Amino acid sequence: MNPATPSTSPLPLWKRICDTTGLPVCRDAELFIKLNAVCAVVFLLVGGIGALLLALTRWQTVHLLPVEWFYRIVTLHGLNMLIFWILFFEVAILYFAGTTLLNARLYSRKVAWVAFGMMLVGALLVDVVILVGQADVMMTSYLPLLAHPLFYLGIILVAVGTLTGVFNYFATIWQAKRQRTYEGSVPLVVFGATAAAIIAVVTLLHGAIVMIPTFLHSLGLIAQPDPIWYRLIWWGLGHQSQQVNVCAMVSCWYLIGNITTGAKALNETVCRGAFVLYILFINLASAHHLLVDPGVSATWKIWNTSYAMYLAVLASMIHGFTVPASIEVAMRNKGYTKGLFGWLTNAPWQNPAFSGSFLSMCIFGFIGGITGVTLGTQQINIIAHNTLRITGHFHATVVGGTTLAFMALTYYVVPLLFRKDFIFRPLARIQPYLFAGGILLLSLGMSFAGSLGVARRSWDIEATGSVHGPSAHLFLAVLGLGGILAFASLLLFVLLTVGTLLFGKSNVGRAMVDWGTPKTLSDAGGHGHGGEVVSGGARAVSPSGEAAHDTRGTLVLALVFLASFAVYYFANWKALADVWPVR
Amino acid sequence: MSIHSPAADWFKAPTGHERLWIGLAVGWCIVLSLMMPYWHFKGKQNSSGETYRTTPEEFQARVEKFSEANAPGTRDNFAEGLNVEVPAPPGDIYLIAKQYFWYPILKLRAGETYRVHMSSVDFQHGFSLQPMNMNFQVIPGYDHVLTLTPQAPGIYPIVCNEFCGVGHHTMVGKIIVE
Ligand code: HEM
Ligand SMILES: [Cu+2]
Ligand SMILES: [Cu+2]
């Protein structure tokens, strides 16, 4: 990390200089980053308690919740996690990227208050309506199911509040550009955050288009909107918002790679181009939620699946390479050049931000990505739609991927913005591993149970006798155990974070206590982490500058990834070929 | 640096391993894209989405007529969903989804091809045929037609896998293949 750079000109009142990084911090933005982050963590806890109850109910041997409460909590969990935890955290990321990284001031405090207020009121409204039993409709609330009007109103408030926050972000970067607070192009992380913000606007507009008529219908003012139309537009919200999450998560990977190992993008054009692909090609990916629907033709399904999804998939495959590659190059330049993977084994695995971010990358890519593309293939979806395979997939993307990346970032947000050093640091160091392990089990249990035909959102798979056989029970038990582990580590995360805010030692006026960042080895053959001798000398940049771009290790990992992808993908075509012919 | 503005000349073509990987990824995405049209023409399992508009009343009337024609006198058992139909293959057959049953129990012959008309008369439901694990969406107001060829004799449960109310998990029907 850079030492603080002494500032020469007197500092305006609206900002301070970070004692650790030397970066400027806008005080207004700081306030709203804190508010949004705290709310995010509270909703994560609410959703997490729901998660534990659900996992212990789907584990058929335990079967904890009574039936109405199971469906109620599915609704609660989906919305608190996927919408509230994620959106509050994302607004915090936007405020951070738009100010600190551009040396700029938040456009408006007032707008930020309005956005925050709407989101909070909306979210609380939704939770209350669900808990009093007036919205047992799942977060998708597919028509003709109907919830209490306040449920839709709450969702509309959250969406409009978020849009307002996004507007504040755009105004902030526009103002920064006009006032020339930075030179040249915006940093990559800001570029990624902006991509997320653009997609968020498109997404939230879909939300408005579908939720406003549904709200009016629930009040009895207009006739019921068409259920297929509802599905199409709802997934314009539901799917595209996942692309917002991917953009935000990838931005976190770049950011954390940079602060923990000093990684720099190898090629800015490639990384930025990949973000542009997300913006351009995700629009109709809502299609892959309608692959076995009536009313939409095969041509429409195939076209929208391939054009919109595969160029977005390409973007993720590119980021999945460039992030580790940039870390590899940074580590090799520090002298960790031994073999193919010396850079990786010597990475700061004891730093929870690094481990969280790297595990997030692995889970997102190897499990979330591969299953997502495969299940989202038009015909393969026949053997996956609405089974637990789908839940298994997205707990690897939005939980093992996005949520873990956000947790990782929190290990810096708290010391740098709340200016408190973490309590119980050894526990914090293992938290990402526990969470990753729990989610891995959860996701695998879900996926295998789903392959045996077990439906998602089902309270009892044996209500009318055994349909799926005993191995389904085994996998549901794996789901349950994974759920317990994931919940325990989620709770640990919340307790550590909140505990630090309340009892952590202030680090105002000094640098934060380092989580562990790799030292640069001396040319004379210094000692790596853990006393391992790393062949020195050899790391010296060769005359041609070759060593600066040695990414052999990443290439090997990427090839392993591609091979796993191909195996899983074609195995699924094989499985499809075995079922009854259908057109 | 990811958190600082890049050098002014950042616009560059990729090189080395990065370029190689982008090439491989593009190639793989092309494979992914081509597999779907390939299977559409050559594969036997497709979701063509053949659909007609209907209304709950109209669809229910058609199903009742169908029941009456194939299994006279059982129409009154409608609510229990317990009827067994033995339609003469091949032909149009009907399946109705309603909180919380599938009606009727269809009796089909292995190797014959049927056009199964599915619709719901209340909420959305999910047609999930076990143990093959074949899944299709059922939506009120739409007659979703599957052209299906059962392969082997047996009793095949139809699980509902779209949440349709508090009795959702009890919504299990069946198809009998002889
Ligand atoms: C402790 C960690 C977690 C556990 C143990 C867990 C477990 C579960 C379980 C058991 C279900 C119900 C599956 C079903 O019966 O259909 C579920 C659904 C879901 N979860 Fe999680 N989850 C966790 C974290 C998260 C997070 C962090 C997110 C989002 C960021 C999330 C998003 C969802 C969504 C969107 C659903 C689907 C709800 C629906 O079907 O309407 N989960 N989860
Ligand atoms: Cu149903
Ligand atoms: Cu159902």
Side-chain angles (χ1 to χ4, degrees), chain A residues 136-209:
Chain A
D136 295 338
V137 293
M138 312 285 110
M139 59 165 196
T140 39
S141 54
Y142 287 143
L143 288 170
L145 288 174
L146 211 54
H148 192 280
L150 289 178
F151 174 77
Y152 303 105
L153 184 65
I155 293 182
I156 293 171
L157 279 175
V158 173
V160 177
T162 311
L163 261 178
T164 312
V166 172
F167 163 79
N168 208 4
Y169 170 73
F170 283 124
T172 302
I173 57 175
W174 170 76
Q175 179 177 271
K177 178 146 196 79
R178 263 197 10 173
Q179 298 176 350
R180 297 173 186 277
T181 61
Y182 62 97
E183 274 166 41
S185 311
V186 299
L188 181 58
V189 172
V190 181
F191 195 88
T194 307
I198 292 171
I199 302 171
V201 171
V202 180
T203 295
L204 294 165
L205 288 179
H206 279 86
I209 294 172

Side-chain angles (χ1 to χ4, degrees), chain A residues 51 54 58 74 77 81 394-395 398-399 403 456-457 483 486-487:
Chain A
L54 292 182
R58 298 267 8 205
V74 177
H77 171 69
M81 290 301 208
F394 67 71
H395 280 80
V398 84
V399 190
T403 297
R456 67 186 287 195
R457 300 172 165 175
F487 171 75

Side-chain angles (χ1 to χ4, degrees), chain B residues 125 160-164 168 171:
Chain B
H125 299 276
C160 175
N161 69 5
E162 183 60 78
F163 175 73
C164 53
H168 160 58
M171 181 165 167

Side-chain angles (χ1 to χ4, degrees), chain A residues 3 10 17 98 130 155 198 263 266 292 323 327 350 361 376 413 464 487 493 502 520 537 539 543 552 559:
Chain A
I17 293 296
I130 293 174
I155 293 182
I198 292 171
L266 303 186
V292 295
V323 176
I327 293 172
Q350 78 284 21
M361 219 171 342
V413 170
T464 61
F487 171 75
F493 169 79
L502 298 176
T520 303
R539 74 129 187 145
R552 282 173 295 154
L559 292 175

Side-chain angles (χ1 to χ4, degrees), chain A residues 1 39 42 87 116 118 159 170 240 260 297 309 325 327-328 365 387 395 434 457 463 477 486 490 525 575:
Chain A
M1 206 162 290
C39 284
V42 171
L87 282 184
F116 177 74
M118 281 208 274
F170 283 124
Q240 272 152 224
T260 58
S297 75
M309 215 169 102
I327 293 172
E328 175 168 4
T387 67
H395 280 80
L434 295 179
R457 300 172 165 175
L490 182 150

